[in-house]
Coordinates of all heavy atoms in Angstrom, one line a residue:
V136 N 1.5 0.3 15.9 CA 1.8 1.4 16.8 C 1.3 2.7 16.1 O 1.9 3.1 15.0 CB 3.3 1.5 17.1 CG1 3.6 2.7 18.0 CG2 3.8 0.2 17.7
S137 N 0.4 3.4 16.7 CA -0.2 4.6 16.0 C 0.8 5.8 16.1 O 0.7 6.7 15.2 CB -1.5 5.0 16.7 OG -1.3 5.3 18.1
T138 N 1.8 5.7 17.0 CA 2.8 6.8 17.1 C 4.1 6.3 16.7 O 5.2 6.8 17.2 CB 2.8 7.3 18.6 OG1 3.1 6.2 19.4 CG2 1.5 7.9 19.0
I139 N 4.2 5.5 15.7 CA 5.5 4.8 15.4 C 6.5 5.8 15.0 O 7.7 5.7 15.3 CB 5.3 3.8 14.3 CG1 6.6 3.0 14.1 CG2 4.8 4.4 13.0 CD1 7.1 2.2 15.3
D140 N 6.2 6.9 14.3 CA 7.2 7.9 13.9 C 7.8 8.6 15.1 O 9.0 8.8 15.2 CB 6.6 8.9 12.9 CG 6.3 8.4 11.6 OD1 6.8 7.3 11.2 OD2 5.5 9.0 10.8
Q141 N 7.0 8.9 16.1 CA 7.4 9.5 17.3 C 8.3 8.5 18.1 O 9.3 8.9 18.6 CB 6.2 9.9 18.1 CG 6.6 10.6 19.5 CD 5.3 10.9 20.3 OE1 4.2 11.1 19.7 NE2 5.4 11.0 21.6
V142 N 7.9 7.3 18.2 CA 8.7 6.3 18.9 C 10.1 6.1 18.2 O 11.1 6.1 18.9 CB 8.0 4.9 18.9 CG1 8.9 3.8 19.4 CG2 6.7 5.0 19.8
R143 N 10.1 6.0 16.9 CA 11.4 5.9 16.2 C 12.3 7.1 16.4 O 13.5 7.0 16.6 CB 11.1 5.7 14.7 CG 10.6 4.3 14.4 CD 10.3 4.1 12.9 NE 10.0 2.7 12.6 CZ 9.4 2.4 11.4 NH1 9.0 3.3 10.6 NH2 9.2 1.1 11.2
A144 N 11.7 8.3 16.3 CA 12.5 9.5 16.5 C 13.1 9.6 17.9 O 14.2 10.0 18.1 CB 11.6 10.7 16.2
G145 N 12.3 9.2 18.9 CA 12.8 9.3 20.3 C 13.9 8.3 20.5 O 14.9 8.6 21.2
R146 N 13.8 7.1 19.9 CA 14.8 6.1 20.1 C 16.1 6.6 19.3 O 17.2 6.4 19.9 CB 14.4 4.8 19.5 CG 15.4 3.7 19.6 CD 14.9 2.4 19.0 NE 13.8 1.8 19.8 CZ 12.6 1.7 19.3 NH1 12.3 2.1 18.1 NH2 11.6 1.2 20.0
R147 N 16.0 7.1 18.1 CA 17.1 7.6 17.4 C 17.8 8.7 18.1 O 19.1 8.7 18.2 CB 16.7 8.1 16.0 CG 17.7 8.5 15.1 CD 18.5 7.3 14.5 NE 19.7 7.0 15.3 CZ 20.4 5.9 15.2 NH1 20.0 4.9 14.4 NH2 21.5 5.7 15.9
K148 N 17.1 9.6 18.7 CA 17.7 10.7 19.5 C 18.4 10.2 20.7 O 19.5 10.6 21.0 CB 16.5 11.7 19.9 CG 17.0 12.9 20.7 CD 15.9 13.8 21.0 CE 16.4 15.1 21.6 NZ 16.0 15.3 23.0
L149 N 17.8 9.2 21.4 CA 18.5 8.7 22.6 C 19.8 8.0 22.2 O 20.8 8.2 22.8 CB 17.5 7.6 23.2 CG 17.9 7.0 24.5 CD1 17.8 8.0 25.6 CD2 17.1 5.8 24.8
V150 N 19.8 7.2 21.1 CA 21.0 6.5 20.7 C 22.1 7.5 20.2 O 23.2 7.4 20.6 CB 20.7 5.4 19.6 CG1 22.0 4.9 19.0 CG2 19.9 4.3 20.2
D151 N 21.6 8.5 19.5 CA 22.6 9.5 18.9 C 23.2 10.2 20.1 O 24.5 10.5 20.1 CB 21.9 10.4 18.0 CG 21.6 9.8 16.6 OD1 22.1 8.7 16.4 OD2 20.8 10.4 15.9
E152 N 22.4 10.6 21.1 CA 23.0 11.3 22.2 C 24.0 10.5 23.0 O 25.1 10.9 23.4 CB 21.9 11.8 23.2 CG 21.0 12.9 22.6 CD 19.9 13.3 23.5 OE1 19.6 12.6 24.5 OE2 19.2 14.3 23.2
G153 N 23.7 9.2 23.2 CA 24.6 8.3 23.9 C 25.9 8.1 23.1 O 27.0 8.1 23.7
L154 N 25.8 7.9 21.8 CA 27.0 7.8 21.0 C 27.9 9.0 21.1 O 29.1 8.9 21.2 CB 26.6 7.5 19.5 CG 26.0 6.2 19.2 CD1 25.5 6.1 17.8 CD2 27.0 5.0 19.4
A155 N 27.2 10.2 21.0 CA 28.0 11.5 21.1 C 28.7 11.7 22.4 O 29.8 12.2 22.5 CB 27.1 12.6 20.8
Q156 N 28.0 11.2 23.5 CA 28.5 11.5 24.9 C 29.4 10.4 25.4 O 30.3 10.7 26.2 CB 27.3 11.7 25.8 CG 26.4 12.9 25.5 CD 25.2 12.9 26.4 OE1 25.0 12.1 27.4 NE2 24.2 13.7 26.0
G157 N 29.3 9.2 24.9 CA 30.1 8.1 25.5 C 30.3 6.9 24.7 O 30.8 5.9 25.1
G158 N 29.9 7.0 23.4 CA 30.2 5.9 22.5 C 29.1 4.8 22.6 O 28.1 4.9 23.3
P159 N 29.4 3.7 22.0 CA 28.4 2.6 21.9 C 27.9 2.0 23.2 O 26.7 1.7 23.4 CB 29.1 1.5 21.1 CG 30.1 2.2 20.2 CD 30.5 3.4 21.1
R160 N 28.8 1.9 24.2 CA 28.4 1.4 25.5 C 27.4 2.3 26.2 O 26.4 1.8 26.7 CB 29.6 1.1 26.4 CG 30.4 -0.1 26.0 CD 31.6 -0.3 27.0 NE 31.2 -0.6 28.3 CZ 31.1 -1.9 28.8 NH1 31.3 -2.9 27.9 NH2 30.8 -2.2 30.0
L161 N 27.6 3.6 26.2 CA 26.6 4.5 26.8 C 25.3 4.5 26.0 O 24.3 4.5 26.6 CB 27.2 5.9 26.9 CG 26.2 7.0 27.5 CD1 25.8 6.6 28.9 CD2 26.9 8.4 27.5
A162 N 25.4 4.5 24.7 CA 24.2 4.5 23.9 C 23.4 3.2 24.2 O 22.2 3.3 24.3 CB 24.6 4.5 22.4
T163 N 24.1 2.1 24.4 CA 23.4 0.9 24.7 C 22.8 1.0 26.1 O 21.6 0.5 26.3 CB 24.3 -0.3 24.6 OG1 24.8 -0.4 23.2 CG2 23.7 -1.6 25.0
E164 N 23.5 1.5 27.0 CA 23.0 1.7 28.4 C 21.7 2.6 28.4 O 20.7 2.2 29.0 CB 24.0 2.3 29.3 CG 23.4 2.6 30.7 CD 24.3 3.2 31.7 OE1 25.6 3.1 31.5 OE2 23.9 3.8 32.7
L165 N 21.7 3.7 27.7 CA 20.6 4.5 27.6 C 19.4 3.8 26.9 O 18.2 3.9 27.3 CB 20.9 5.8 26.9 CG 21.9 6.7 27.5 CD1 22.2 8.0 26.6 CD2 21.5 7.2 28.9
F166 N 19.7 3.1 25.9 CA 18.7 2.3 25.2 C 18.0 1.3 26.1 O 16.8 1.2 26.2 CB 19.2 1.6 23.9 CG 18.3 0.7 23.3 CD1 17.3 1.2 22.4 CD2 18.3 -0.7 23.5 CE1 16.4 0.3 21.8 CE2 17.4 -1.5 22.9 CZ 16.5 -1.0 22.0
L167 N 18.9 0.5 26.8 CA 18.4 -0.5 27.7 C 17.6 0.1 28.9 O 16.5 -0.5 29.3 CB 19.5 -1.4 28.3 CG 20.3 -2.3 27.3 CD1 21.5 -2.9 27.9 CD2 19.3 -3.3 26.7
R168 N 18.0 1.2 29.4 CA 17.3 1.9 30.5 C 15.9 2.3 30.0 O 14.9 2.2 30.7 CB 18.0 3.1 31.0 CG 19.2 2.8 31.9 CD 19.9 4.0 32.4 NE 21.0 3.8 33.3 CZ 20.9 3.5 34.6 NH1 19.7 3.5 35.2 NH2 21.9 3.3 35.4
S169 N 15.8 2.8 28.7 CA 14.6 3.2 28.2 C 13.6 2.0 28.0 O 12.4 2.2 28.1 CB 14.8 4.0 26.9 OG 15.1 3.1 25.8
V170 N 14.2 0.9 27.7 CA 13.3 -0.3 27.4 C 13.0 -1.0 28.7 O 11.8 -1.4 28.9 CB 14.1 -1.3 26.5 CG1 13.3 -2.6 26.3 CG2 14.3 -0.7 25.1
M171 N 14.0 -1.2 29.6 CA 13.7 -1.9 30.8 C 13.1 -1.1 31.9 O 12.3 -1.6 32.7 CB 15.1 -2.4 31.4 CG 15.8 -3.4 30.6 SD 17.4 -3.8 31.4 CE 18.1 -4.9 30.3

């Protein structure tokens, strides 16, 4: 992946936002939505 740092940063931001707003379940939902 030529943009691996960008991909990792985007994923980390998404998970952190989910954890802050709704805990692990929301973070997982946001992660799954981004993947699926």
Side-chain angles (χ1 to χ4, degrees):
V136 183
S137 61
T138 57
I139 188 62
D140 290 340
Q141 179 181 337
V142 169
R143 285 173 170 165
R146 181 182 293 114
R147 184 74 263 166
K148 182 174 185 247
L149 186 75
V150 169
D151 286 349
E152 287 176 354
L154 289 171
Q156 294 172 14
R160 284 179 69 92
L161 178 60
T163 298
E164 178 180 339
L165 295 178
F166 174 80
L167 292 175
R168 284 182 179 276
S169 73
V170 174
M171 296 180 181

